[in-house]
mmCIF file of all heavy atoms in Angstrom:
data_model
loop_
_atom_site.group_PDB
_atom_site.id
_atom_site.type_symbol
_atom_site.label_atom_id
_atom_site.label_comp_id
_atom_site.label_asym_id
_atom_site.label_seq_id
_atom_site.Cartn_x
_atom_site.Cartn_y
_atom_site.Cartn_z
ATOM 1 N N LEU A 150 9.963 -10.824 -3.023
ATOM 2 C CA LEU A 150 10.842 -10.635 -1.936
ATOM 3 C C LEU A 150 12.254 -10.818 -2.343
ATOM 4 O O LEU A 150 12.644 -11.246 -3.423
ATOM 5 C CB LEU A 150 10.518 -11.794 -0.848
ATOM 6 C CG LEU A 150 9.057 -11.928 -0.467
ATOM 7 C CD1 LEU A 150 8.910 -12.909 0.600
ATOM 8 C CD2 LEU A 150 8.525 -10.526 0.097
ATOM 9 N N PRO A 151 13.212 -10.277 -1.553
ATOM 10 C CA PRO A 151 14.673 -10.286 -1.939
ATOM 11 C C PRO A 151 15.146 -11.662 -2.012
ATOM 12 O O PRO A 151 14.524 -12.715 -1.664
ATOM 13 C CB PRO A 151 15.208 -9.584 -0.630
ATOM 14 C CG PRO A 151 14.150 -8.815 0.028
ATOM 15 C CD PRO A 151 12.891 -9.587 -0.275
ATOM 16 N N ASN A 152 16.228 -11.773 -2.803
ATOM 17 C CA ASN A 152 16.916 -13.079 -3.054
ATOM 18 C C ASN A 152 17.230 -13.693 -1.697
ATOM 19 O O ASN A 152 17.593 -13.027 -0.659
ATOM 20 C CB ASN A 152 18.268 -12.833 -3.811
ATOM 21 C CG ASN A 152 18.075 -12.634 -5.297
ATOM 22 O OD1 ASN A 152 17.507 -13.563 -5.949
ATOM 23 N ND2 ASN A 152 18.236 -11.493 -5.733
ATOM 24 N N ARG A 153 17.049 -15.064 -1.679
ATOM 25 C CA ARG A 153 17.251 -15.769 -0.508
ATOM 26 C C ARG A 153 18.317 -16.901 -0.863
ATOM 27 O O ARG A 153 18.070 -17.750 -1.483
ATOM 28 C CB ARG A 153 16.068 -16.379 0.128
ATOM 29 C CG ARG A 153 16.228 -17.342 1.196
ATOM 30 C CD ARG A 153 16.552 -16.668 2.525
ATOM 31 N NE ARG A 153 16.688 -17.564 3.621
ATOM 32 C CZ ARG A 153 17.779 -18.110 4.175
ATOM 33 N NH1 ARG A 153 18.968 -17.731 3.573
ATOM 34 N NH2 ARG A 153 17.732 -19.056 5.135
ATOM 35 N N TYR A 154 19.528 -16.879 -0.199
ATOM 36 C CA TYR A 154 20.459 -17.930 -0.411
ATOM 37 C C TYR A 154 20.052 -19.284 0.179
ATOM 38 O O TYR A 154 19.467 -19.256 1.272
ATOM 39 C CB TYR A 154 21.792 -17.553 0.247
ATOM 40 C CG TYR A 154 22.806 -18.775 0.142
ATOM 41 C CD1 TYR A 154 23.507 -19.049 -1.011
ATOM 42 C CD2 TYR A 154 22.925 -19.510 1.324
ATOM 43 C CE1 TYR A 154 24.427 -20.069 -0.923
ATOM 44 C CE2 TYR A 154 23.802 -20.629 1.404
ATOM 45 C CZ TYR A 154 24.424 -20.837 0.176
ATOM 46 O OH TYR A 154 25.338 -22.028 0.164
ATOM 47 N N THR A 155 20.094 -20.295 -0.575
ATOM 48 C CA THR A 155 19.736 -21.607 -0.168
ATOM 49 C C THR A 155 20.741 -22.683 -0.541
ATOM 50 O O THR A 155 21.482 -22.399 -1.531
ATOM 51 C CB THR A 155 18.340 -22.159 -0.534
ATOM 52 O OG1 THR A 155 18.290 -22.228 -2.055
ATOM 53 C CG2 THR A 155 17.300 -21.106 -0.048
ATOM 54 N N TYR A 156 20.834 -23.754 0.184
ATOM 55 C CA TYR A 156 21.731 -24.860 -0.283
ATOM 56 C C TYR A 156 21.029 -26.159 -0.173
ATOM 57 O O TYR A 156 20.496 -26.565 0.835
ATOM 58 C CB TYR A 156 22.922 -24.782 0.692
ATOM 59 C CG TYR A 156 23.889 -25.981 0.701
ATOM 60 C CD1 TYR A 156 24.868 -25.965 -0.338
ATOM 61 C CD2 TYR A 156 23.752 -27.018 1.534
ATOM 62 C CE1 TYR A 156 25.592 -27.178 -0.392
ATOM 63 C CE2 TYR A 156 24.477 -28.245 1.446
ATOM 64 C CZ TYR A 156 25.485 -28.297 0.524
ATOM 65 O OH TYR A 156 26.326 -29.358 0.321
ATOM 66 N N ARG A 157 21.153 -26.782 -1.269
ATOM 67 C CA ARG A 157 20.342 -28.064 -1.363
ATOM 68 C C ARG A 157 18.849 -28.031 -0.912
ATOM 69 O O ARG A 157 18.030 -27.236 -1.505
ATOM 70 C CB ARG A 157 21.103 -29.277 -0.581
ATOM 71 C CG ARG A 157 22.484 -29.424 -1.175
ATOM 72 C CD ARG A 157 23.126 -30.622 -0.386
ATOM 73 N NE ARG A 157 22.463 -31.857 -0.624
ATOM 74 C CZ ARG A 157 22.758 -32.947 0.076
ATOM 75 N NH1 ARG A 157 23.665 -33.008 0.838
ATOM 76 N NH2 ARG A 157 22.109 -34.048 -0.143
ATOM 77 N N LYS A 158 18.512 -28.630 0.138
ATOM 78 C CA LYS A 158 17.203 -28.539 0.708
ATOM 79 C C LYS A 158 16.942 -27.232 1.411
ATOM 80 O O LYS A 158 17.790 -26.846 2.143
ATOM 81 C CB LYS A 158 16.762 -29.707 1.553
ATOM 82 C CG LYS A 158 16.981 -31.104 1.037
ATOM 83 C CD LYS A 158 16.662 -32.115 2.016
ATOM 84 C CE LYS A 158 17.008 -33.508 1.597
ATOM 85 N NZ LYS A 158 16.859 -34.564 2.685
ATOM 86 N N ALA A 159 15.857 -26.588 1.186
ATOM 87 C CA ALA A 159 15.514 -25.397 1.818
ATOM 88 C C ALA A 159 13.959 -25.278 1.940
ATOM 89 O O ALA A 159 13.350 -25.677 0.942
ATOM 90 C CB ALA A 159 16.134 -24.159 1.294
ATOM 91 N N PHE A 160 13.432 -24.778 3.173
ATOM 92 C CA PHE A 160 12.008 -24.857 3.192
ATOM 93 C C PHE A 160 11.454 -23.577 3.634
ATOM 94 O O PHE A 160 12.114 -22.895 4.500
ATOM 95 C CB PHE A 160 11.646 -25.980 4.244
ATOM 96 C CG PHE A 160 12.174 -27.249 3.808
ATOM 97 C CD1 PHE A 160 13.499 -27.674 4.245
ATOM 98 C CD2 PHE A 160 11.431 -28.242 3.156
ATOM 99 C CE1 PHE A 160 14.032 -28.909 3.869
ATOM 100 C CE2 PHE A 160 11.924 -29.524 2.843
ATOM 101 C CZ PHE A 160 13.253 -29.858 3.218
#
Side-chain angles (χ1 to χ4, degrees):
L150 302 184
N152 282 293
R153 170 74 177 103
Y154 170 80
T155 59
Y156 170 80
R157 295 184 64 184
K158 301 177 186 177
F160 305 85

